[in-house]
Amino acid sequence: MVEPTGLSPEGAEAGMGDVNTCSLEIERKYDVIPAVICSMCCLFGIIYCFFGYRCFKAVMFLSGLMFGSVIIFLLCHKEHVLDTQLSVEASAGIGLGIGCSCGLVTMLVRSVGLFMTGLLLGLLLALAALLVTHQFYTPTTLWVPLGALLGLGMLFAVFTLQWQKLFTVLSTAVFGAAIMTVCADYFVEMLALVMHVYECLRLTPGPPLCWYSWVILGIWPVLSIMGVLVQWKLTDNGFSHTEVVINRRQKRVQLMRIREKDAKKRQQPGGQEELPAKSAGQTVEHRHLP
């Protein structure tokens, strides 16, 4: 017997599932380790967003640490290493070790850290643009999102090297706000927004975002603007990372000059011998005075 709607019961159930996706209750099952990691990332996001430029060295280290750890973890977890599939713990350990090395490089070499900071800003802005564009138009090739990510990333990396303070403040505020948004997405809807962004990058069609996903996504620009204003007015007011570097160089130059003067005095034994002789002669003369 044919259904009146022309759909099978399975198709009708699938259609109802698509329609009522937002009305379904989300099953929240939190594990201890991901919840702790997410809480720590939220703390890092607060530091990034509101104290990013003030904690310049720490931010440079954390940028390299997170960027290197995430990339290496995804490569080790998704790809076969030495013809074996690594566990999540092993992939996380390898990613953390290499991420620490990347963090040290970005902290000690200032140009590398600034380049990484601008690259993160460009990637985040490209993700936001692709997510908004995906609601109206879906590209037919993966080169479009890949080109947008690489193009904006390299562009803002060069901008950050040219205008260091301005784009460092922007990057830390936007990146810190993005971290806090991801943490809120985890605790509210178990990373549904992150998975939607991932599907957009893969050009895979999926269900539309629910209204609460858009609310969570709206946290990102609000916190970004707040972070820029707080850093501009309060935390980085009168602070410059270049002055810190100059002061350290001046201290080193002063120490080198002091050491050179000490070395010259030591190379002049006659001058050192005359001083005690004169002082002894003066004491003798004072003794013969009535």
Short mmCIF file of all heavy atoms in Angstrom, two decimals, residues 24-88:
data_model
loop_
_atom_site.label_atom_id
_atom_site.label_comp_id
_atom_site.label_asym_id
_atom_site.label_seq_id
_atom_site.Cartn_x
_atom_site.Cartn_y
_atom_site.Cartn_z
N LEU A 24 15.91 18.12 19.68
CA LEU A 24 16.34 16.94 20.42
C LEU A 24 17.26 17.33 21.57
O LEU A 24 18.04 18.28 21.48
CB LEU A 24 17.08 15.97 19.48
CG LEU A 24 16.24 15.36 18.36
CD1 LEU A 24 17.11 14.49 17.46
CD2 LEU A 24 15.08 14.53 18.91
N GLU A 25 17.17 16.58 22.64
CA GLU A 25 18.03 16.84 23.80
C GLU A 25 19.42 16.29 23.54
O GLU A 25 19.59 15.17 23.04
CB GLU A 25 17.43 16.19 25.04
CG GLU A 25 18.20 16.51 26.32
CD GLU A 25 17.56 15.89 27.55
OE1 GLU A 25 16.49 15.27 27.39
OE2 GLU A 25 18.13 16.03 28.64
N ILE A 26 20.43 17.09 23.87
CA ILE A 26 21.82 16.71 23.65
C ILE A 26 22.28 15.80 24.77
O ILE A 26 22.09 16.09 25.95
CB ILE A 26 22.72 17.96 23.57
CG1 ILE A 26 22.25 18.88 22.45
CG2 ILE A 26 24.17 17.57 23.34
CD1 ILE A 26 22.96 20.21 22.42
N GLU A 27 22.87 14.67 24.39
CA GLU A 27 23.42 13.75 25.39
C GLU A 27 24.81 14.21 25.78
O GLU A 27 25.74 14.17 24.98
CB GLU A 27 23.46 12.32 24.81
CG GLU A 27 22.09 11.74 24.51
CD GLU A 27 22.19 10.32 24.00
OE1 GLU A 27 23.33 9.81 23.91
OE2 GLU A 27 21.14 9.72 23.69
N ARG A 28 24.95 14.65 26.98
CA ARG A 28 26.22 15.17 27.48
C ARG A 28 26.88 14.12 28.35
O ARG A 28 26.40 13.82 29.43
CB ARG A 28 26.01 16.47 28.26
CG ARG A 28 25.41 17.61 27.43
CD ARG A 28 25.24 18.84 28.28
NE ARG A 28 24.69 19.94 27.49
CZ ARG A 28 23.38 20.17 27.34
NH1 ARG A 28 22.52 19.34 27.92
NH2 ARG A 28 22.96 21.18 26.61
N LYS A 29 27.99 13.57 27.85
CA LYS A 29 28.78 12.60 28.61
C LYS A 29 30.21 13.13 28.66
O LYS A 29 30.96 13.02 27.71
CB LYS A 29 28.74 11.22 27.94
CG LYS A 29 27.34 10.59 27.92
CD LYS A 29 27.38 9.22 27.26
CE LYS A 29 25.99 8.59 27.23
NZ LYS A 29 26.00 7.26 26.57
N TYR A 30 30.54 13.72 29.79
CA TYR A 30 31.85 14.34 29.94
C TYR A 30 32.84 13.35 30.53
O TYR A 30 32.56 12.70 31.54
CB TYR A 30 31.74 15.57 30.86
CG TYR A 30 30.77 16.62 30.39
CD1 TYR A 30 29.59 16.85 31.09
CD2 TYR A 30 31.01 17.36 29.25
CE1 TYR A 30 28.69 17.81 30.66
CE2 TYR A 30 30.12 18.33 28.81
CZ TYR A 30 28.95 18.54 29.52
OH TYR A 30 28.06 19.48 29.09
N ASP A 31 33.99 13.24 29.87
CA ASP A 31 35.10 12.48 30.40
C ASP A 31 36.00 13.40 31.22
O ASP A 31 36.04 14.62 31.01
CB ASP A 31 35.90 11.82 29.28
CG ASP A 31 35.06 10.78 28.54
OD1 ASP A 31 34.19 10.18 29.20
OD2 ASP A 31 35.28 10.59 27.33
N VAL A 32 36.75 12.80 32.12
CA VAL A 32 37.54 13.61 33.05
C VAL A 32 38.67 14.34 32.31
O VAL A 32 38.84 15.57 32.45
CB VAL A 32 38.11 12.73 34.17
CG1 VAL A 32 39.01 13.56 35.09
CG2 VAL A 32 36.99 12.09 34.97
N ILE A 33 39.43 13.59 31.51
CA ILE A 33 40.60 14.20 30.87
C ILE A 33 40.21 15.29 29.87
O ILE A 33 40.76 16.41 29.91
CB ILE A 33 41.45 13.11 30.19
CG1 ILE A 33 42.02 12.15 31.26
CG2 ILE A 33 42.59 13.73 29.38
CD1 ILE A 33 42.84 11.02 30.70
N PRO A 34 39.25 15.06 28.95
CA PRO A 34 38.86 16.17 28.06
C PRO A 34 38.29 17.37 28.80
O PRO A 34 38.53 18.51 28.41
CB PRO A 34 37.81 15.52 27.15
CG PRO A 34 38.11 14.08 27.18
CD PRO A 34 38.59 13.80 28.55
N ALA A 35 37.55 17.12 29.88
CA ALA A 35 36.97 18.24 30.64
C ALA A 35 38.07 19.06 31.31
O ALA A 35 38.02 20.30 31.30
CB ALA A 35 35.99 17.72 31.68
N VAL A 36 39.09 18.39 31.86
CA VAL A 36 40.20 19.11 32.49
C VAL A 36 40.99 19.89 31.45
O VAL A 36 41.37 21.06 31.67
CB VAL A 36 41.11 18.12 33.25
CG1 VAL A 36 42.37 18.81 33.73
CG2 VAL A 36 40.36 17.53 34.44
N ILE A 37 41.26 19.25 30.30
CA ILE A 37 41.99 19.95 29.23
C ILE A 37 41.21 21.16 28.74
O ILE A 37 41.78 22.24 28.51
CB ILE A 37 42.28 18.97 28.09
CG1 ILE A 37 43.26 17.89 28.54
CG2 ILE A 37 42.85 19.71 26.88
CD1 ILE A 37 43.51 16.82 27.50
N CYS A 38 39.90 21.01 28.61
CA CYS A 38 39.07 22.12 28.15
C CYS A 38 39.07 23.26 29.17
O CYS A 38 39.10 24.44 28.79
CB CYS A 38 37.65 21.62 27.89
SG CYS A 38 36.61 22.78 27.00
N SER A 39 39.05 22.92 30.46
CA SER A 39 39.09 23.96 31.49
C SER A 39 40.42 24.70 31.47
O SER A 39 40.46 25.94 31.61
CB SER A 39 38.85 23.33 32.86
OG SER A 39 37.61 22.66 32.91
N MET A 40 41.52 23.97 31.29
CA MET A 40 42.83 24.62 31.20
C MET A 40 42.92 25.51 29.96
O MET A 40 43.46 26.62 30.01
CB MET A 40 43.93 23.58 31.17
CG MET A 40 44.09 22.80 32.46
SD MET A 40 45.38 21.54 32.37
CE MET A 40 46.81 22.55 32.04
N CYS A 41 42.37 25.04 28.85
CA CYS A 41 42.36 25.86 27.64
C CYS A 41 41.53 27.12 27.82
O CYS A 41 41.87 28.18 27.28
CB CYS A 41 41.83 25.05 26.46
SG CYS A 41 42.95 23.75 25.90
N CYS A 42 40.45 27.01 28.58
CA CYS A 42 39.64 28.20 28.87
C CYS A 42 40.43 29.22 29.66
O CYS A 42 40.35 30.43 29.41
CB CYS A 42 38.37 27.79 29.61
SG CYS A 42 37.20 29.15 29.88
N LEU A 43 41.24 28.74 30.62
CA LEU A 43 42.11 29.65 31.38
C LEU A 43 43.15 30.30 30.47
O LEU A 43 43.39 31.52 30.56
CB LEU A 43 42.80 28.88 32.50
CG LEU A 43 43.77 29.66 33.38
CD1 LEU A 43 43.08 30.82 34.08
CD2 LEU A 43 44.45 28.75 34.39
N PHE A 44 43.74 29.53 29.58
CA PHE A 44 44.68 30.09 28.62
C PHE A 44 43.99 31.11 27.71
O PHE A 44 44.58 32.13 27.34
CB PHE A 44 45.30 28.99 27.77
CG PHE A 44 46.24 28.09 28.52
CD1 PHE A 44 46.49 26.79 28.10
CD2 PHE A 44 46.88 28.53 29.66
CE1 PHE A 44 47.35 25.97 28.80
CE2 PHE A 44 47.75 27.72 30.37
CZ PHE A 44 47.98 26.42 29.93
N GLY A 45 42.73 30.82 27.35
CA GLY A 45 41.98 31.76 26.51
C GLY A 45 41.76 33.09 27.20
O GLY A 45 41.84 34.16 26.56
N ILE A 46 41.50 33.08 28.50
CA ILE A 46 41.33 34.32 29.25
C ILE A 46 42.63 35.12 29.25
O ILE A 46 42.65 36.35 29.06
CB ILE A 46 40.85 34.03 30.68
CG1 ILE A 46 39.44 33.42 30.64
CG2 ILE A 46 40.85 35.30 31.53
CD1 ILE A 46 38.95 32.94 31.98
N ILE A 47 43.76 34.42 29.48
CA ILE A 47 45.06 35.10 29.47
C ILE A 47 45.34 35.68 28.09
O ILE A 47 45.80 36.82 27.96
CB ILE A 47 46.15 34.11 29.90
CG1 ILE A 47 45.93 33.67 31.35
CG2 ILE A 47 47.54 34.76 29.75
CD1 ILE A 47 46.88 32.59 31.81
N TYR A 48 45.08 34.90 27.06
CA TYR A 48 45.28 35.38 25.69
C TYR A 48 44.43 36.61 25.41
O TYR A 48 44.92 37.62 24.88
CB TYR A 48 44.90 34.28 24.70
CG TYR A 48 46.05 33.55 24.10
CD1 TYR A 48 46.54 32.39 24.67
CD2 TYR A 48 46.66 33.99 22.93
CE1 TYR A 48 47.60 31.70 24.12
CE2 TYR A 48 47.71 33.31 22.37
CZ TYR A 48 48.18 32.17 22.96
OH TYR A 48 49.23 31.49 22.41
N CYS A 49 43.15 36.53 25.71
CA CYS A 49 42.20 37.55 25.29
C CYS A 49 42.44 38.88 25.99
O CYS A 49 42.37 39.94 25.35
CB CYS A 49 40.78 37.05 25.54
SG CYS A 49 39.48 38.10 24.84
N PHE A 50 42.72 38.86 27.29
CA PHE A 50 42.77 40.10 28.07
C PHE A 50 44.19 40.50 28.49
O PHE A 50 44.39 41.65 28.90
CB PHE A 50 41.89 39.97 29.31
CG PHE A 50 40.45 39.69 28.99
CD1 PHE A 50 39.90 38.44 29.24
CD2 PHE A 50 39.64 40.65 28.42
CE1 PHE A 50 38.58 38.17 28.94
CE2 PHE A 50 38.32 40.39 28.11
CZ PHE A 50 37.78 39.15 28.37
N PHE A 51 45.15 39.58 28.45
CA PHE A 51 46.52 39.90 28.85
C PHE A 51 47.54 39.44 27.81
O PHE A 51 48.70 39.19 28.14
CB PHE A 51 46.85 39.23 30.20
CG PHE A 51 45.90 39.57 31.30
CD1 PHE A 51 44.82 38.75 31.58
CD2 PHE A 51 46.06 40.73 32.05
CE1 PHE A 51 43.93 39.05 32.59
CE2 PHE A 51 45.18 41.05 33.06
CZ PHE A 51 44.11 40.21 33.34
N GLY A 52 47.09 39.32 26.55
CA GLY A 52 47.94 38.72 25.54
C GLY A 52 49.22 39.49 25.29
O GLY A 52 50.32 38.93 25.34
N TYR A 53 49.11 40.78 25.05
CA TYR A 53 50.31 41.55 24.74
C TYR A 53 51.17 41.79 25.98
O TYR A 53 52.39 41.89 25.89
CB TYR A 53 49.92 42.88 24.11
CG TYR A 53 51.10 43.66 23.59
CD1 TYR A 53 51.77 43.25 22.45
CD2 TYR A 53 51.56 44.80 24.25
CE1 TYR A 53 52.86 43.94 21.96
CE2 TYR A 53 52.65 45.50 23.78
CZ TYR A 53 53.30 45.07 22.64
OH TYR A 53 54.38 45.76 22.17
N ARG A 54 50.53 41.89 27.13
CA ARG A 54 51.28 42.09 28.37
C ARG A 54 52.17 40.88 28.68
O ARG A 54 53.31 41.04 29.11
CB ARG A 54 50.32 42.33 29.53
CG ARG A 54 50.98 42.79 30.81
CD ARG A 54 51.41 44.23 30.69
NE ARG A 54 52.05 44.72 31.88
CZ ARG A 54 52.45 45.97 32.05
NH1 ARG A 54 52.27 46.86 31.08
NH2 ARG A 54 53.04 46.36 33.16
N CYS A 55 51.63 39.69 28.46
CA CYS A 55 52.39 38.45 28.66
C CYS A 55 52.97 38.00 27.32
O CYS A 55 52.62 36.94 26.79
CB CYS A 55 51.51 37.36 29.27
SG CYS A 55 50.69 37.84 30.80
N PHE A 56 53.82 38.83 26.75
CA PHE A 56 54.28 38.62 25.38
C PHE A 56 55.04 37.32 25.24
O PHE A 56 54.75 36.50 24.35
CB PHE A 56 55.15 39.81 24.96
CG PHE A 56 55.59 39.76 23.53
CD1 PHE A 56 54.73 40.15 22.52
CD2 PHE A 56 56.87 39.32 23.19
CE1 PHE A 56 55.14 40.11 21.19
CE2 PHE A 56 57.27 39.28 21.87
CZ PHE A 56 56.41 39.67 20.87
N LYS A 57 56.02 37.06 26.10
CA LYS A 57 56.84 35.85 26.00
C LYS A 57 56.00 34.60 26.23
O LYS A 57 56.14 33.60 25.52
CB LYS A 57 57.98 35.92 27.01
CG LYS A 57 59.09 36.89 26.65
CD LYS A 57 59.87 36.41 25.45
CE LYS A 57 61.07 37.30 25.17
NZ LYS A 57 61.84 36.84 23.99
N ALA A 58 55.11 34.65 27.23
CA ALA A 58 54.27 33.49 27.51
C ALA A 58 53.34 33.19 26.34
O ALA A 58 53.11 32.03 25.98
CB ALA A 58 53.46 33.72 28.78
N VAL A 59 52.81 34.24 25.72
CA VAL A 59 51.91 34.05 24.58
C VAL A 59 52.66 33.47 23.39
O VAL A 59 52.14 32.59 22.68
CB VAL A 59 51.25 35.40 24.22
CG1 VAL A 59 50.65 35.36 22.83
CG2 VAL A 59 50.17 35.74 25.25
N MET A 60 53.89 33.93 23.17
CA MET A 60 54.68 33.37 22.08
C MET A 60 54.93 31.87 22.30
O MET A 60 54.83 31.07 21.37
CB MET A 60 56.02 34.10 21.97
CG MET A 60 55.93 35.56 21.57
SD MET A 60 55.27 35.84 19.92
CE MET A 60 53.63 36.47 20.32
N PHE A 61 55.22 31.50 23.54
CA PHE A 61 55.46 30.09 23.84
C PHE A 61 54.19 29.27 23.66
O PHE A 61 54.20 28.18 23.06
CB PHE A 61 55.99 29.94 25.27
CG PHE A 61 56.17 28.51 25.71
CD1 PHE A 61 57.27 27.78 25.28
CD2 PHE A 61 55.23 27.90 26.52
CE1 PHE A 61 57.43 26.46 25.66
CE2 PHE A 61 55.39 26.58 26.91
CZ PHE A 61 56.49 25.86 26.48
N LEU A 62 53.06 29.76 24.18
CA LEU A 62 51.80 29.01 24.08
C LEU A 62 51.33 28.90 22.63
O LEU A 62 50.73 27.89 22.25
CB LEU A 62 50.73 29.68 24.93
CG LEU A 62 50.92 29.60 26.45
CD1 LEU A 62 49.85 30.40 27.17
CD2 LEU A 62 50.89 28.16 26.91
N SER A 63 51.60 29.91 21.82
CA SER A 63 51.21 29.84 20.40
C SER A 63 51.94 28.71 19.70
O SER A 63 51.33 27.89 19.00
CB SER A 63 51.50 31.18 19.71
OG SER A 63 50.75 32.22 20.27
N GLY A 64 53.25 28.66 19.88
CA GLY A 64 54.01 27.57 19.27
C GLY A 64 53.65 26.21 19.85
O GLY A 64 53.58 25.22 19.13
N LEU A 65 53.39 26.17 21.17
CA LEU A 65 53.03 24.91 21.82
C LEU A 65 51.73 24.35 21.26
O LEU A 65 51.65 23.18 20.86
CB LEU A 65 52.93 25.13 23.32
CG LEU A 65 52.42 23.94 24.15
CD1 LEU A 65 53.40 22.78 24.07
CD2 LEU A 65 52.19 24.36 25.59
N MET A 66 50.68 25.18 21.23
CA MET A 66 49.37 24.69 20.77
C MET A 66 49.37 24.39 19.28
O MET A 66 48.82 23.37 18.85
CB MET A 66 48.29 25.71 21.13
CG MET A 66 47.96 25.73 22.62
SD MET A 66 46.51 26.72 23.03
CE MET A 66 47.20 28.35 22.87
N PHE A 67 50.00 25.25 18.50
CA PHE A 67 50.01 25.03 17.05
C PHE A 67 50.76 23.75 16.71
O PHE A 67 50.27 22.90 15.96
CB PHE A 67 50.65 26.24 16.35
CG PHE A 67 50.50 26.21 14.86
CD1 PHE A 67 49.33 26.64 14.26
CD2 PHE A 67 51.53 25.75 14.05
CE1 PHE A 67 49.18 26.62 12.88
CE2 PHE A 67 51.39 25.72 12.67
CZ PHE A 67 50.22 26.15 12.09
N GLY A 68 51.96 23.58 17.28
CA GLY A 68 52.74 22.39 17.00
C GLY A 68 52.09 21.12 17.54
O GLY A 68 52.08 20.07 16.88
N SER A 69 51.52 21.20 18.75
CA SER A 69 50.90 20.02 19.36
C SER A 69 49.69 19.55 18.56
O SER A 69 49.52 18.35 18.32
CB SER A 69 50.49 20.34 20.80
OG SER A 69 51.60 20.69 21.58
N VAL A 70 48.85 20.49 18.14
CA VAL A 70 47.63 20.11 17.39
C VAL A 70 47.99 19.49 16.05
O VAL A 70 47.44 18.45 15.66
CB VAL A 70 46.72 21.34 17.22
CG1 VAL A 70 45.59 21.03 16.25
CG2 VAL A 70 46.15 21.77 18.57
N ILE A 71 48.94 20.10 15.34
CA ILE A 71 49.30 19.58 14.02
C ILE A 71 49.92 18.18 14.14
O ILE A 71 49.54 17.24 13.42
CB ILE A 71 50.28 20.54 13.32
CG1 ILE A 71 49.61 21.89 13.05
CG2 ILE A 71 50.77 19.93 12.01
CD1 ILE A 71 48.41 21.82 12.13
N ILE A 72 50.85 18.00 15.07
CA ILE A 72 51.50 16.70 15.21
C ILE A 72 50.52 15.66 15.73
O ILE A 72 50.55 14.49 15.32
CB ILE A 72 52.72 16.83 16.15
CG1 ILE A 72 53.74 17.80 15.55
CG2 ILE A 72 53.36 15.47 16.37
CD1 ILE A 72 54.25 17.39 14.17
N PHE A 73 49.63 16.05 16.63
CA PHE A 73 48.64 15.10 17.15
C PHE A 73 47.72 14.60 16.04
O PHE A 73 47.43 13.40 15.94
CB PHE A 73 47.81 15.76 18.26
CG PHE A 73 46.67 14.91 18.74
CD1 PHE A 73 46.88 13.85 19.60
CD2 PHE A 73 45.37 15.17 18.31
CE1 PHE A 73 45.83 13.06 20.04
CE2 PHE A 73 44.31 14.39 18.74
CZ PHE A 73 44.53 13.33 19.60
N LEU A 74 47.25 15.51 15.18
CA LEU A 74 46.38 15.09 14.08
C LEU A 74 47.11 14.20 13.09
O LEU A 74 46.54 13.20 12.61
CB LEU A 74 45.82 16.33 13.37
CG LEU A 74 44.85 17.20 14.18
CD1 LEU A 74 44.44 18.42 13.38
CD2 LEU A 74 43.61 16.39 14.58
N LEU A 75 48.37 14.52 12.82
CA LEU A 75 49.13 13.68 11.89
C LEU A 75 49.37 12.29 12.47
O LEU A 75 49.24 11.28 11.76
CB LEU A 75 50.46 14.36 11.57
CG LEU A 75 50.40 15.62 10.70
CD1 LEU A 75 51.79 16.22 10.54
CD2 LEU A 75 49.80 15.31 9.34
N CYS A 76 49.72 12.22 13.75
CA CYS A 76 50.00 10.92 14.37
C CYS A 76 48.73 10.10 14.57
O CYS A 76 48.75 8.87 14.45
CB CYS A 76 50.72 11.11 15.70
SG CYS A 76 52.37 11.80 15.57
N HIS A 77 47.62 10.77 14.87
CA HIS A 77 46.39 10.05 15.17
C HIS A 77 45.66 9.59 13.92
O HIS A 77 45.02 8.53 13.91
CB HIS A 77 45.48 10.93 16.02
CG HIS A 77 44.26 10.22 16.52
ND1 HIS A 77 44.33 9.09 17.32
CD2 HIS A 77 42.94 10.46 16.33
CE1 HIS A 77 43.10 8.68 17.61
NE2 HIS A 77 42.25 9.49 17.01
N LYS A 78 45.75 10.39 12.86
CA LYS A 78 45.02 10.05 11.64
C LYS A 78 45.83 9.21 10.68
O LYS A 78 45.27 8.41 9.92
CB LYS A 78 44.57 11.34 10.93
CG LYS A 78 43.59 12.19 11.73
CD LYS A 78 42.26 11.49 11.91
CE LYS A 78 41.27 12.38 12.65
NZ LYS A 78 39.96 11.69 12.86
N GLU A 79 47.15 9.38 10.69
CA GLU A 79 48.00 8.67 9.74
C GLU A 79 48.73 7.53 10.46
O GLU A 79 48.91 7.54 11.67
CB GLU A 79 49.02 9.62 9.10
CG GLU A 79 48.38 10.79 8.36
CD GLU A 79 47.61 10.34 7.14
OE1 GLU A 79 47.94 9.26 6.59
OE2 GLU A 79 46.69 11.07 6.72
N HIS A 80 49.17 6.56 9.67
CA HIS A 80 49.94 5.45 10.20
C HIS A 80 51.41 5.85 10.31
O HIS A 80 52.00 6.34 9.35
CB HIS A 80 49.80 4.21 9.30
CG HIS A 80 48.43 3.62 9.32
ND1 HIS A 80 47.98 2.80 10.32
CD2 HIS A 80 47.38 3.76 8.45
CE1 HIS A 80 46.72 2.43 10.08
NE2 HIS A 80 46.34 3.00 8.95
N VAL A 81 52.01 5.64 11.49
CA VAL A 81 53.42 5.94 11.72
C VAL A 81 54.15 4.61 11.86
O VAL A 81 53.85 3.81 12.76
CB VAL A 81 53.60 6.80 12.99
CG1 VAL A 81 55.07 7.08 13.23
CG2 VAL A 81 52.82 8.10 12.85
N LEU A 82 55.11 4.36 10.97
CA LEU A 82 55.86 3.10 10.95
C LEU A 82 54.91 1.90 10.84
O LEU A 82 55.05 0.89 11.53
CB LEU A 82 56.73 2.98 12.20
CG LEU A 82 57.82 4.06 12.37
CD1 LEU A 82 58.56 3.86 13.68
CD2 LEU A 82 58.77 4.04 11.20
N ASP A 83 53.91 2.03 9.98
CA ASP A 83 52.94 0.96 9.69
C ASP A 83 52.13 0.55 10.93
O ASP A 83 51.65 -0.58 11.02
CB ASP A 83 53.63 -0.26 9.09
CG ASP A 83 54.26 0.04 7.75
OD1 ASP A 83 53.75 0.94 7.06
OD2 ASP A 83 55.27 -0.60 7.41
N THR A 84 52.01 1.43 11.90
CA THR A 84 51.21 1.14 13.10
C THR A 84 50.31 2.33 13.39
O THR A 84 50.68 3.48 13.14
CB THR A 84 52.10 0.88 14.32
OG1 THR A 84 52.94 2.03 14.56
CG2 THR A 84 52.96 -0.36 14.12
N GLN A 85 49.14 2.04 13.94
CA GLN A 85 48.19 3.08 14.33
C GLN A 85 48.43 3.41 15.81
O GLN A 85 48.23 2.58 16.69
CB GLN A 85 46.75 2.60 14.13
CG GLN A 85 45.69 3.63 14.48
CD GLN A 85 45.74 4.82 13.55
OE1 GLN A 85 45.94 4.69 12.33
NE2 GLN A 85 45.59 6.01 14.10
N LEU A 86 48.88 4.63 16.06
CA LEU A 86 49.19 5.04 17.43
C LEU A 86 47.91 5.29 18.21
O LEU A 86 46.89 5.71 17.66
CB LEU A 86 50.05 6.30 17.42
CG LEU A 86 51.44 6.17 16.78
CD1 LEU A 86 52.15 7.51 16.78
CD2 LEU A 86 52.28 5.14 17.50
N SER A 87 47.98 5.06 19.51
CA SER A 87 46.85 5.35 20.38
C SER A 87 46.74 6.85 20.62
O SER A 87 47.64 7.64 20.27
CB SER A 87 47.01 4.62 21.71
OG SER A 87 48.18 5.06 22.38
N VAL A 88 45.63 7.25 21.23
CA VAL A 88 45.42 8.67 21.51
C VAL A 88 46.47 9.18 22.49
O VAL A 88 47.00 10.29 22.34
CB VAL A 88 43.99 8.88 22.06
CG1 VAL A 88 43.77 10.35 22.42
CG2 VAL A 88 42.96 8.43 21.04
#
